[in-house]
Amino acid sequence: MRGEAQLAALVGNSPAIAAIRNEINKIASADASVLITGPSGSGKDVVAQLLHQQSRRAARPFIALNCAAVPADLLESEMFGHELGAFTGAIKARAGRFEAAHGGTLFLDEVGDMPAAMQAKLLRALETRVIERVGGMLPISVDVRVVAATSVDLDAAIAAGRFRADLLYRLDVIHIAMPPLKDRPEDVAPLVQHFLAGEARPVRFSTAALEALSALDWPGNVRELKNFVERACVHHGGEIVGRETINRLLRGATTPAAPPPRPNEIAAPAHLLGPDGVDLKQLLADLEQAYIREALALSGGTIAQSARLLGLQRTTLIEKMRRLQIEARLQD
């Protein structure tokens, strides 16, 4: 595939992704509205592009509008267009996204954040397939397939009075739910290889490193993983990245911590005290210092992550480092 089609590769070997690919193949040729739900960064926009690329509308425009990124007072103009002089700053007539997508697909991202007043106008446009520009009087017929996406729980939003139930019924003719990346760890390695293919100086992740990446929660989902791969290539392009390097590259994701040993599992000599006794205070200080230094090394000097590895509050770790005179290039 070339151009836009490359951006829309739905990568993964998990049963969930295989089922979504199969669903796309079945519904792409229909004109029914599609609602894609799932957490932010899970790939809802990729599904929308694939639906367009595999449809009979593929030769026509794919137009996207992020409903959460446009100020509420400009959203109607962005969606439906405006006429000359319709409002201050409207120095010429302008077509909106519905007109631009005529014959193709209109992707309404983050539709759950759309203001209530716009929800009513969108509902009417979906029902009649006719729009009016802001400040205009003439009806304009449009032929678009609407694909909407949201990370908002729309049922909860309806219960709270923030979203119209009738608009949900109009948008949710076909529903595709994107799972979070943490629920499909088998997709991490193929996604990493996919993202590396687009880098000028790719790294090579060791098997242990890929296993460590697959064990992370990835709260930012596929988008966070993509950013991680890019960061790895910026810092270590052309190198082999092992498991020990992962923590230094992470932002917010943490490796699963091994459970602490139980008291009866800690190996100890048969006799703890020699004839001269022991300086217990110094012994404990040395042990504490060794653990803190290892945590700092694993986290690349990041205080917050080192504190999590040690089960400490950030301020507590800083105080211990001062008391033990541990110097490090600290990062928050």
Side-chain angles (χ1 to χ4, degrees):
M1 293 188 297
R2 296 176 301 171
E4 184 184 4
Q6 286 185 326
L7 299 175
L10 190 60
V11 177
N13 301 325
S14 66
I17 291 301
I20 291 172
R21 280 197 292 260
N22 185 55
E23 180 72 359
I24 291 171
N25 290 335
K26 287 194 298 184
I27 68 175
S29 60
D31 278 338
S33 298
V34 180
L35 178 64
I36 309 168
T37 59
S40 179
S42 57
K44 298 186 291 295
D45 57 331
V46 173
V47 172
Q49 291 182 52
L50 278 172
L51 283 168
H52 175 71
Q53 291 163 6
Q54 296 185 22
S55 74
R56 63 179 179 81
R57 299 173 177 270
R60 303 295 295 168
F62 175 86
I63 303 296
L65 174 63
N66 189 319
C67 301
V70 180
D73 57 344
L74 295 178
L75 187 55
E76 183 177 4
S77 172
E78 282 293 322
M79 192 173 295
F80 302 127
H82 62 258
E83 296 292 355
L84 171 66
F87 50 82
T88 303
I91 58 175
K92 62 180 181 178
R94 179 174 177 270
R97 306 299 174 94
F98 262 94
E99 287 182 75
H102 184 70
T105 301
L106 176 62
F107 176 45
L108 299 177
D109 198 8
E110 297 301 344
V111 72
D113 294 310
M114 182 178 289
M118 274 304 303
Q119 292 177 32
K121 294 174 181 179
L122 173 60
L123 176 61
R124 179 170 177 77
L126 293 176
E127 289 175 339
T128 65
R129 300 293 168 172
V130 172
I131 64 166
E132 288 183 6
R133 291 182 179 179
V134 177
M137 299 292 291
L138 297 176
I140 302 171
S141 296
V142 288
D143 171 26
V144 297
R145 183 190 196 176
V146 173
V147 178
T150 183
S151 55
V152 172
D153 183 339
L154 292 184
D155 289 328
I158 289 171
R162 298 192 306 270
F163 201 81
R164 296 178 62 109
D166 48 2
L167 177 56
L168 174 60
Y169 302 147
R170 179 63 65 174
L171 293 171
D172 197 11
V173 178
I174 299 172
H175 191 165
I176 295 178
M178 292 296 295
L181 188 54
K182 69 178 181 180
D183 290 349
R184 44 189 181 103
E186 62 267 57
D187 289 343
V188 171
L191 282 165
V192 167
Q193 298 307 319
H194 173 70
F195 296 140
L196 286 174
E199 294 292 334
R201 297 186 65 240
V203 299
R204 283 180 54 204
F205 288 100
S206 70
T207 301
L210 287 173
E211 290 174 352
L213 293 176
S214 298
L216 297 175
D217 279 349
W218 298 109
N221 295 290
V222 178
R223 184 181 298 123
E224 182 184 4
L225 178 61
K226 183 178 187 298
N227 292 340
F228 170 83
V229 171
E230 183 178 355
R231 183 161 58 248
C233 293
V234 169
H235 289 292
H236 301 282
E239 302 174 13
I240 297 176
V241 173
R243 185 169 190 153
E244 66 280 359
T245 309
I246 297 299
N247 280 331
R248 294 199 296 270
L249 293 168
L250 290 172
R251 295 291 186 273
T254 56
T255 52
R262 298 176 181 177
N264 60 358
E265 294 175 345
I266 299 176
H271 301 287
L272 295 175
L273 294 175
D276 297 327
V278 66
D279 186 341
L280 184 60
K281 184 177 180 181
Q282 185 60 48
L283 178 65
L284 293 175
D286 291 344
L287 185 63
E288 197 172 33
Q289 187 175 84
Y291 272 99
I292 290 174
R293 289 189 183 281
E294 183 169 352
L296 288 168
L298 286 172
S299 65
T302 305
I303 291 295
Q305 191 167 340
S306 298
R308 283 195 295 271
L309 290 172
L310 295 167
L312 299 174
Q313 295 292 326
R314 179 179 175 279
T315 52
T316 303
L317 175 58
I318 292 174
E319 180 57 35
K320 286 181 179 293
M321 291 174 63
R322 288 172 179 163
R323 175 170 55 82
L324 296 169
Q325 298 182 341
I326 296 176
E327 295 182 1
R329 186 169 59 84
L330 306 182
Q331 304 176 35
D332 282 325

